Amino acid sequence: MRLRALLETEALGLRLLGGEEELDRTVRGVMTTDLRDPSRYLSGGELVLTGLAWRREPADSERFVRILAAAGVAGLAAGEAELGDVPDDLVRACERHRLPLFSVVEDVSFASITEHVVRQVSGERAGDLAAVVDRHRRLMTSGPAGGGPEVILDLLGSDLDLRAWVLSPTGRQVAGSGPSVGGTSHARSAMGDGTETDAGPGAGRAAAELPAAVCAQLAGEHLAAVRSGRRAPYRVAVPGSGTYSLFPIHGTGRAGGHDVRETVLSDWLLAVDADAGDWAEERLDLLHGVTQLIAVERDHREAARTVRRRLAQEVLELVQAGAPPAEIAARLRVAAPVLLPGLGTAPHWQVVVARVEWGLPGEDHVRDSAVPGGPVAQSLLEEMLVDPEATGPEPSDRIAVAHTGDEAVALVPLPAADEEETVTGLHADRLLAAVREPLSRGLDGDGRLTLGVSATVHSAEGLRGALEEARHARRVAAARPGQVCAAGHQELASHVLLLPFVPDDVRRAFTARLLDPLRDYDRRHRAELIPTLEAFLACDGSWTRCATQLHLHVNTLRYRVGRIEQLTGRDLSRLEDKLDFFLALRMS
């Protein structure tokens, strides 16, 4: 903006005292100071606001103005609140150094002028960046991606002082802006001790990787907002971290009229470290343009997964059709270089099966077949199975996932170990540990994700059994309460394999007969019989270990166990009764 525009804004209360021929100077920022020598805080182009507290004698004016002129400031505005009229010696010094001088009337605060200048300068810089974004968009849409989302995020940091990150729906950080280069806001307030405060959003803060907990919370809030139909951007206050504004990143080829459930668990989001509640429309439009640009990069990465998906589909069809192991092995030899480039030996394999089901509103939660769950499950598996140590533009380049119906099947290669080593495979619970909360928000009460993980196999002969094992494990997970559940192959050699297939009415009757008397007694007397029973069984009926674990005297423990036996008519010294209680607790 120009100095002339400030003079023409009546609400600012500026009166020109000299330098009319210099009013076309560009203002790039604003600084308030009463330091005798503010040079170390000046970078050129500022409108300097001062209350003249630095002036102790007429000679001080020449010294102060000479410093400002040497720093290349755009102009000087002196307040009349403290000394009344601006001293003549300051007027003459500004004339000698060709520095435009303004006076500020007493009833206009420096804060008002600062806010106006920052708003105008920021808007112009946003316009300049919009042009850059537009050029970058044309480059990316006409050819391969050039640098990925980091390029545009770095522009946001350097030109608008905005820290931003691209997050996946599970909260994984896809990209983030690097440290700001010259991105510190020019709107400063010099304090009496020489320190500065930045007036721009996020100014002076180098971008860093967001903590995993913050990423998970932002992803969850984003998914919940999308499912509720709120208008973006979504503002989220994170305790101890500040306020973030979340912008959805939709696929570029999306057609209108889609069901939000088809894409909510696969779309990325842009998290900006700023409160967009009072942003101008121009800046909001700019950020929406940024999301469209990043969507192009996401589509490039989706296209790169096509080969891996096709390989997984071919292997899955061969396995399900009962093809000879030699034929499956040949297909795996084709897949291995794509999934594990540079690997010299045949890998081990693990199979992961996921299923996403949506329900229609109502008491019976009827399955909604109109919303296909397979593609959603496929995207989620590709996201959850990202290799955190993989490098390159696409960190999930070792994952092959196929889908059919509501089910997705992942073929996960694991590097072959030496004979004396054990291959470390995927663990069902760990796969969901970091993503359970955000995904539950995205499923929003009418959807479920269930997941099963097979044991590791080292040949084509084992893949068919691994697929069936993963599917059985997923059915075990589906029998559990909750929207996001997983089970592993370890549980298939346990009693838990049988529990999911017990009819619901039988389960309820069995647990009620054994546990309801104990629950009623606990409610009336706060006797903690249920926790005592759980601890006693976990300690294999050891009185000493159980009493120590519960911090009880052994006699108190014996009294509680006696009360349990009295209320239920069972004997906890008998193996059959112990087993009945154990199963009742697991099914409750």
Side-chain angles (χ1 to χ4, degrees):
M1 66 177 302
R2 308 287 183 179
L3 282 174
R4 190 181 306 278
L6 291 175
L7 186 63
E8 293 170 352
T9 305
E10 295 182 1
L12 297 182
L14 296 178
R15 183 165 58 93
L16 183 65
L17 301 181
E20 183 175 1
E21 64 279 11
E22 303 293 334
L23 289 180
D24 287 328
R25 290 187 181 186
T26 300
V27 179
R28 298 188 178 88
V30 61
M31 176 184 180
T32 300
T33 184
D34 279 316
L35 295 175
R36 294 172 63 84
D37 182 4
S39 58
R40 62 185 180 277
Y41 303 123
L42 298 171
S43 57
E46 297 92 342
L47 173 66
V48 175
L49 307 176
T50 180
L52 302 178
W54 48 265
R55 183 182 177 278
R56 300 170 186 171
E57 58 183 16
D60 290 339
S61 294
E62 172 65 21
R63 186 182 307 109
F64 184 80
V65 173
R66 185 170 60 247
I67 291 171
L68 300 187
V73 303
L76 173 64
E80 298 178 349
E82 289 292 331
L83 302 180
D85 292 337
V86 177
D88 291 338
D89 50 87
L90 180 59
V91 176
R92 291 192 296 270
C94 289
E95 288 176 351
R96 283 192 295 272
H97 292 278
R98 302 177 61 84
L99 181 66
L101 175 64
F102 304 87
S103 66
V104 183
V105 297
E106 183 176 352
D107 58 351
V108 175
S109 69
F110 285 175
S112 299
I113 299 175
T114 298
E115 182 181 356
H116 177 83
V117 172
V118 171
R119 187 166 56 249
Q120 295 299 316
V121 171
S122 179
E124 291 174 2
R125 292 164 72 188
D128 293 341
L129 182 56
V132 176
V133 170
D134 186 62
R135 288 196 299 272
H136 200 69
R137 179 188 296 112
R138 289 197 298 269
L139 286 173
M140 290 186 67
T141 54
S142 63
E150 290 84 358
V151 175
I152 193 63
L153 297 185
D154 286 343
L155 285 174
L156 289 177
S158 61
D159 283 40
L160 290 184
D161 294 327
L162 289 177
R163 298 194 306 167
W165 298 265
V166 177
L167 303 179
S168 76
T170 64
R172 177 176 66 89
Q173 183 170 315
V174 178
S177 54
S180 178
V181 180
T184 303
S185 172
H186 290 294
R188 305 183 180 100
S189 175
M191 312 302 288
D193 58 358
T195 60
E196 296 175 88
T197 57
D198 295 316
R205 293 177 296 174
E209 187 168 324
L210 280 177
V214 175
C215 290
Q217 180 176 350
L218 294 179
E221 294 289 348
H222 169 259
L223 292 175
V226 172
R227 289 303 310 275
S228 67
R230 286 165 48 197
R231 181 180 178 183
Y234 316 121
R235 298 156 60 200
V236 179
V238 179
S241 186
T243 299
Y244 295 83
S245 297
L246 309 180
F247 296 81
I249 300 174
H250 300 304
T252 57
R254 176 177 298 175
H258 71 281
D259 191 313
V260 69
R261 292 176 292 180
E262 298 177 28
T263 56
V264 64
L265 296 179
S266 58
D267 282 345
W268 288 351
L269 66 133
L270 177 67
V272 181
D273 186 8
D275 187 344
D278 57 354
W279 281 7
E281 286 297 324
E282 293 79 6
R283 178 167 287 211
L284 290 174
D285 289 343
L286 168 63
L287 267 295
H288 287 302
V290 168
T291 63
Q292 294 172 15
L293 177 57
I294 297 174
V296 175
E297 176 64 20
R298 184 185 179 280
D299 289 347
H300 282 304
R301 298 192 184 191
E302 278 288 297
R305 290 173 170 170
T306 303
V307 174
R308 297 190 295 278
R309 288 174 172 174
R310 186 175 67 248
L311 287 172
Q313 197 72 43
E314 292 174 356
V315 173
L316 176 62
E317 290 173 358
L318 289 174
V319 171
Q320 292 187 132
E327 186 177 351
I328 299 175
R331 179 54 55 189
L332 288 177
R333 283 194 293 273
V334 174
V338 176
L339 302 177
L340 286 178
L343 188 68
T345 57
H348 292 70
W349 300 94
Q350 216 170 353
V351 176
V352 181
V353 172
R355 191 177 184 93
V356 172
E357 295 177 311
W358 301 102
L360 293 172
E363 186 175 334
D364 295 331
H365 197 72
V366 180
R367 179 173 171 270
D368 184 0
S369 59
V371 184
V376 180
Q378 182 181 47
S379 296
L380 283 178
L381 272 186
E382 288 171 336
E383 173 59 34
M384 287 188 289
L385 297 174
V386 164
D387 183 354
E389 298 182 359
T391 58
E394 177 48 63
S396 59
D397 58 0
R398 298 182 179 184
I399 308 303
V401 185
H403 78 82
T404 174
D406 288 331
E407 181 184 79
V409 179
L411 187 64
V412 183
L414 302 169
D418 295 334
E419 291 184 4
E420 64 274 11
E421 295 180 350
T422 302
V423 175
T424 302
L426 302 170
H427 191 279
D429 288 335
R430 285 197 290 270
L431 276 177
L432 294 182
V435 302
R436 192 184 305 274
E437 176 60 25
L439 291 184
S440 296
R441 304 289 298 277
L443 293 166
D444 192 35
D446 65 346
R448 286 201 79 199
L449 167 66
T450 51
L451 185 145
V453 180
S454 77
T456 302
V457 296
H458 63 276
S459 66
E461 289 86 346
L463 276 181
R464 183 177 181 84
L467 176 60
E468 291 304 315
E469 192 173 54
R471 283 175 169 162
H472 280 306
R474 192 208 63 79
R475 284 193 283 271
V476 170
R480 295 172 175 166
Q483 290 181 277
V484 181
C485 299
H489 61 92
Q490 304 92 338
E491 301 178 61
L492 299 185
S494 168
H495 64 278
V496 293
L497 176 61
L498 303 176
L499 297 184
F501 305 104
V502 177
D504 287 344
D505 55 343
V506 175
R507 291 158 64 99
R508 286 192 292 268
F510 182 75
T511 57
R513 189 179 306 115
L514 282 175
L515 301 183
D516 278 1
L518 306 183
R519 293 193 180 106
D520 292 341
Y521 192 86
D522 280 348
R523 276 195 295 269
R524 293 195 306 269
H525 303 285
R526 298 182 181 180
E528 298 187 357
L529 296 185
I530 292 289
T532 300
L533 176 61
E534 291 174 332
F536 186 71
L537 295 175
C539 292
D540 298 324
S542 169
W543 297 99
T544 304
R545 280 195 291 131
C546 184
T548 301
Q549 179 178 316
L550 294 176
H551 305 289
L552 297 175
H553 192 277
V554 173
N555 289 340
T556 304
L557 176 61
R558 290 185 183 277
Y559 172 80
R560 290 187 182 181
V561 171
R563 179 63 67 184
I564 292 171
E565 292 174 336
Q566 180 184 10
L567 291 169
T568 60
R570 299 299 185 105
D571 183 354
L572 277 168
S573 66
R574 299 179 66 248
L575 176 62
E576 295 86 347
D577 288 343
K578 286 181 183 177
L579 180 58
D580 283 349
F581 277 121
F582 179 77
L583 292 175
L585 289 169
R586 291 301 298 264
M587 288 191 295
S588 63

